[in-house]
């Protein structure tokens, strides 16, 4: 996935988003990770402002590892209650702003790259449907994992060579129950070479 992201990143004007934990991505594509793009967005900057307000209130309350300033006046019960309500509202605002930033990045993306299981990330819930889903190395991907991204698109392209490496199955029991099969192989078995295009 990172290799494809790397190749797409040099094409001017193509907005790509690479889903996945930035620590597990190739260094060359980290700038295209969802976390990185959200961190640079306007929505995240607004959320940062609200977070500083939260920190300020926490200091006044003397909570979450923050020590109350020396000489600070003791807060009354009512004032503490008001501050806690404000703190709750600010936390809700931060979540909403961060969510809006994720939604903005995802809806503006032209290409979203993820592993099959990464396609189940919550951040993809902001995208109704993809025009095309491409599963690379589909001949090595188990059918059950392929259904995650497949259900998110109107068209499906399975790329790979079913005559090459088979998927790695570690559970013999799962393989006996049919979970060792690829969607690619199922399609070839059902429709034959009529659906195959050599590139």
């Amino acid at each position: 996935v990172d290799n494809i992201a790397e190749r797409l990143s040099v094409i001017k004007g193509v907005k790509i988003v690479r889903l996945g934990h930035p620590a597990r991505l190739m260094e060359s594509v980290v700038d295209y990770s969802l976390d990185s793009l959200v961190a640079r967005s306007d929505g995240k900057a607004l959320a940062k402002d609200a977070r500083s307000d939260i920190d300020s209130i926490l200091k006044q309350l003397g909570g979450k590892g923050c020590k109350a300033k020396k000489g600070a006046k003791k807060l009354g019960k009512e004032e503490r209650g008001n501050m806690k309500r404000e703190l709750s509202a600010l936390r809700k605002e931060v979540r909403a702003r961060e969510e809006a930033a994720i939604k903005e990045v995802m809806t503006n993306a032209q290409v979203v790259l993820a592993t099959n299981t990464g396609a189940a990330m919550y951040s993809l819930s902001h995208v109704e449907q993809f025009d095309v889903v491409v599963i690379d190395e589909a001949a090595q991907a188990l059918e059950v994992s392929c259904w995650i991204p497949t259900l998110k698109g109107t068209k499906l392209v399975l790329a790979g060579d079913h005559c090459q490496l088979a998927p790695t199955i570690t559970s013999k029991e799962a393989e006996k129950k049919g979970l060792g099969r690829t969607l690619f192989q199922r399609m070839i078995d059902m429709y034959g070479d009529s659906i195959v295009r050599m590139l």
Side-chain angles (χ1 to χ4, degrees):
V1 177
D2 284 350
N3 291 329
I4 296 170
E6 196 172 41
R7 289 182 184 136
L8 287 172
S9 69
V10 297
I11 301 172
K12 297 265 189 250
V14 177
K15 296 178 183 175
I16 66 170
V17 176
R18 170 62 167 101
L19 298 181
H21 195 284
R24 295 188 194 104
L25 306 181
M26 286 174 34
E27 195 174 319
S28 58
V29 298
V30 169
D31 286 344
Y32 301 98
S33 71
L34 178 62
D35 290 358
S36 181
L37 292 169
V38 167
R40 294 191 310 263
S41 72
D42 294 338
K44 187 68 173 187
L46 292 171
K48 192 174 183 180
D49 293 343
R51 280 195 187 278
S52 66
D53 292 344
I54 288 171
D55 291 342
S56 173
I57 292 172
L58 285 173
K59 283 180 184 173
Q60 290 176 10
L61 289 171
K64 283 257 178 172
C66 301
K67 293 182 179 177
K69 293 180 181 176
K70 285 186 181 178
K73 63 176 184 165
K74 287 269 189 186
L75 298 173
K77 187 176 182 178
E78 185 178 329
E79 193 174 1
R80 286 183 72 80
N82 289 338
M83 291 177 92
K84 286 181 179 181
R85 280 187 288 284
E86 185 179 352
L87 190 62
S88 177
L90 281 169
R91 286 180 173 148
K92 188 175 182 180
E93 183 180 339
V94 165
R95 282 191 299 274
R97 287 179 178 182
E98 288 175 345
E99 186 73 23
I102 291 170
K103 184 176 183 176
E104 179 184 350
V105 168
M106 292 304 295
T107 54
N108 289 330
Q110 294 169 307
V111 179
V112 178
L113 299 120
T115 61
N116 284 347
T117 53
M121 287 181 67
Y122 171 73
S123 51
L124 273 179
S125 65
H126 299 295
V127 180
E128 298 234 352
Q129 194 88 23
F130 290 101
D131 296 330
V132 179
V133 171
V134 178
I135 300 177
D136 193 24
E137 299 296 346
Q140 296 177 30
L142 297 177
E143 180 177 0
V144 292
S145 74
C146 288
W147 282 111
I148 299 167
T150 299
L151 296 173
K152 297 183 182 298
T154 54
K155 285 184 182 177
L156 174 65
V157 175
L158 299 174
D161 184 351
H162 63 287
C163 297
Q164 296 266 327
L165 292 172
T168 303
I169 313 297
T170 55
S171 170
K172 295 296 177 196
E173 185 178 339
E175 189 171 12
K176 285 179 194 170
K177 293 182 178 180
L179 295 177
R181 191 169 188 188
T182 67
L183 182 58
F184 201 110
Q185 191 60 51
R186 178 187 293 273
M187 295 293 103
I188 295 295
D189 292 347
M190 288 174 65
Y191 301 105
D193 288 340
S194 67
I195 60 167
V196 176
R197 300 288 179 271
M198 290 294 288
L199 300 179

